[in-house]
Amino acid sequence: GAGVSQSPSNKVTEKGKDVELRCDPISGHTALYWYRQSLGQGLEFLIYFQGNSAPDKSGLPSDRFSAERTGGSVSTLTIQRTQQEDSAVYLCASSPGQGGYGYTFGSGTRLTVV
Amino acid sequence: GQQVMQIPQYQHVQEGEDFTTYCNSSTTLSNIQWYKQRPGGHPVFLIQLVKSGEVKKQKRLTFQFGEAKKNSSLHITATQTTDVGTYFCAEPAMDSNYQLIWGAGTKLIIKP
């Protein structure tokens, strides 16, 4: 696609429910990144994919968080048993995968856990 | 571990005044990138600097890369309301070809 597409754009969920966030990167971009941004804060790294593999999962806050990427394209970030502290904007970005390229971000998913 | 320090955290200016944000790295960099995030928006890539001492301009924005390739700055001349947002620098992670280490961002606020 022309840009990075994320869905849904907004999600309100009840505490304890599971949620899935989707990211569709730019076609041909091999690297895909997930970040979390709380209101007025910086970018918190969660995980990145090179192709379908995730060399670095160190940013995932807990074992309630998981992510996968299939076909070197679409990625899904799953949060199980959501907690109120999970409320944030979840941003996905992609890049051509080699060093020295800028990231293209999607518009994000605003997650609110009530 | 590798860190990038970005200052200031906030800068309040009158419209028409200048704005500058600075980034300092703990390591010598191959490149540094700058992004802008408008309020309610997502980060947007502005530019990448690669060469020692490099200076690049985009209209009223001037980006500099230090001679030692350990620091960088973004200067905006005569700020306008369209400049409002948070400006982030980002540097390549030393232990990965694919990851960036992000500064905390500088928020540009224009006084009413």
Side-chain angles (χ1 to χ4, degrees):
Chain A
V4 177
S5 178
Q6 289 189 249
S7 60
S9 55
N10 283 284
K11 176 73 177 178
V12 179
T13 189
E14 292 181 351
K15 179 181 173 180
K17 300 282 189 182
D18 298 353
V19 295
E20 283 191 354
L21 312 181
R22 176 188 169 103
C23 174
D24 197 346
I26 290 174
S27 178
H29 279 194
T30 59
L32 184 148
Y33 309 84
W34 283 100
Y35 286 86
R36 180 167 73 173
Q37 189 173 38
S38 299
L39 189 62
Q41 301 300 306
L43 297 168
E44 178 187 1
F45 169 78
L46 298 179
I47 189 170
Y48 97 92
F49 290 89
Q50 176 56 31
N52 290 336
S53 65
D56 188 349
K57 302 179 182 180
S58 63
L60 294 176
S62 75
D63 59 8
R64 296 186 294 105
F65 287 71
S66 63
E68 65 175 15
R69 189 180 184 192
T70 55
S73 180
V74 172
S75 176
T76 302
L77 177 69
T78 301
I79 309 173
Q80 295 179 312
R81 306 180 301 282
T82 51
Q83 303 294 314
Q84 288 186 330
E85 60 262 29
D86 299 334
S87 296
V89 175
Y90 290 80
L91 291 164
C92 174
S94 70
S95 80
Q98 300 176 21
Y101 288 92
Y103 291 4
T104 302
F105 282 85
S107 298
T109 294
R110 181 176 299 278
L111 176 66
T112 304
V113 181
V114 297
Chain B
Q2 183 180 359
Q3 293 183 14
V4 55
M5 179 175 293
Q6 186 172 1
I7 57 170
Q9 188 176 1
Y10 301 94
Q11 191 167 3
H12 294 75
V13 300
Q14 298 278 4
E15 188 174 3
E17 292 182 336
D18 294 354
F19 162 86
T20 306
T21 174
Y22 302 89
C23 282
N24 288 287
S25 175
S26 57
T27 63
T28 302
L29 304 171
S30 58
N31 66 78
I32 192 162
Q33 299 178 6
W34 286 92
Y35 293 75
K36 176 184 178 181
Q37 184 174 23
R38 294 178 184 271
H42 55 277
V44 173
F45 175 74
L46 294 177
I47 205 164
Q48 177 176 270
L49 305 174
V50 178
K51 299 177 182 177
S52 168
E54 187 169 19
V55 178
K56 286 189 174 180
K57 294 193 174 185
Q58 292 179 350
K59 298 182 180 178
R60 294 175 295 101
L61 277 63
T62 302
F63 303 85
Q64 294 191 13
F65 201 10
E67 293 288 343
K69 302 181 74 172
K70 296 190 74 170
N71 59 76
S72 182
S73 65
L74 159 59
H75 180 81
I76 303 177
T77 304
T79 54
Q80 300 176 358
T81 55
T82 53
D83 298 324
V84 164
T86 301
Y87 294 83
F88 293 95
C89 62
E91 63 183 52
M94 296 299 289
D95 57 358
S96 168
N97 288 331
Y98 305 99
Q99 288 206 65
L100 295 176
I101 307 297
W102 293 80
T106 297
K107 190 171 185 178
L108 169 58
I109 300 164
I110 293 187
K111 300 175 188 176

